[in-house]
Amino acid sequence: MRFDLQVIASWIEPESRVLDLGCRTGSLLAHLTEEKHIDGTGIEIDEDAAGQAIAKGLSVIHGDIYEEIEDYPDNAFDYVILSQALMQVLDPETILREMLRVGRLGIVSFPNFTHYRNRLQMLFTGRAPMSKELPYEWYNTPNLRVIPIIDFRRFCKHLGVPIVKEVAISTHHHDEQGKVITFLPNLFATFGIFMLGQAR
C-alpha cells in the first residue's frame, strides 16, 4: 500500500465508520477492513476501478463524489478520506465542508507543489514542472489546481476548519516506503497529509 495511505491508516481507530472519496480500487478500505475491522464505504467515479473494488467484496458506489455525498446524513461517519484527489476537485471548499458535515473528522492528502525539485525545474527550465508526483504536461493533466502545504493551511484557516493533525512526507507517487519530513516541509516534502475537524 502507498506510504501516504499507510500514514492515513495509522490514524484510523478500530471499528470506525469510514467513507473514502475517490477510493480507486479500494486498497485502503480493504486494508482497514481487514486490519481495523472498520465499517467502510467508498465512492469512485471510474467504473473499472469501482468494479475492481466491488469485486474485492467492498461496499463501493460508482458515482460522483459531489452527488453521492449529499445523500448521507450529518455525522454518518467517523472519518471521511480524500486521498490524492483534492487537486482534481472542482470546488474544494464545498467538498471539504461536505466531508466535515457527514464525518466527524476529515483526512486529506495531496502532492506538495512547492517541493524544491519543482521550484528548481521552474527556475532553470522556465517550464511547468513535471515529477513522479505530478506526471503530466500542463495541457493533459487531470489536475485543476496545484497545492503547496503552506497554502492548504491558510485555506483551512480561511474556512475556520481546525487542523487536528498533520504530517509531511517524502515518498514517490506509488511507493510503499517513505519518511516523515519535519524540517521545512513546504520545501522538502513531496506530500502533505492533514486531519481536519469540524468547523468552529
Side-chain angles (χ1 to χ4, degrees), residues 31-98:
H31 172 82
L32 290 172
T33 300
E34 185 175 329
E35 298 296 322
K36 298 204 172 180
H37 311 290
I38 63 147
D39 178 8
T41 303
I43 301 172
E44 174 54 51
I45 198 164
D46 183 272
E47 188 174 0
D48 289 339
Q52 290 180 53
I54 292 165
K56 294 175 184 174
L58 299 171
S59 174
V60 171
I61 299 164
H62 170 236
D64 180 84
I65 59 175
Y66 284 102
E67 294 173 7
E68 301 298 338
I69 200 169
E70 289 179 353
D71 293 337
Y72 291 105
D74 294 359
N75 298 309
F77 299 95
D78 298 303
Y79 303 92
V80 181
I81 299 166
L82 184 69
S83 173
Q84 293 193 29
L86 187 62
M87 315 82 66
Q88 298 167 15
V89 165
L90 190 61
D91 183 352
E93 180 172 347
T94 296
I95 204 64
L96 252 63
R97 291 201 187 281
E98 278 295 283

Side-chain angles (χ1 to χ4, degrees), residues 17-29:
R17 299 162 300 158
V18 177
L19 176 63
D20 189 358
L21 302 176
C23 65
R24 301 299 299 158
T25 60
S27 59
L28 178 60
L29 281 174

Side-chain angles (χ1 to χ4, degrees), residues 138-175:
W138 67 267
Y139 53 82
N140 65 6
T141 179
N143 298 327
L144 302 176
R145 63 197 82 257
V146 291
I147 312 166
I149 288 172
I150 197 168
D151 277 346
F152 186 76
R153 289 194 200 112
R154 290 175 62 235
F155 179 58
C156 292
K157 185 176 181 181
H158 165 73
L159 297 182
V161 168
I163 296 170
V164 177
K165 189 185 296 189
E166 70 173 280
V167 68
I169 60 173
S170 179
T171 184
H172 291 304
H173 184 52
H174 288 292
D175 280 3

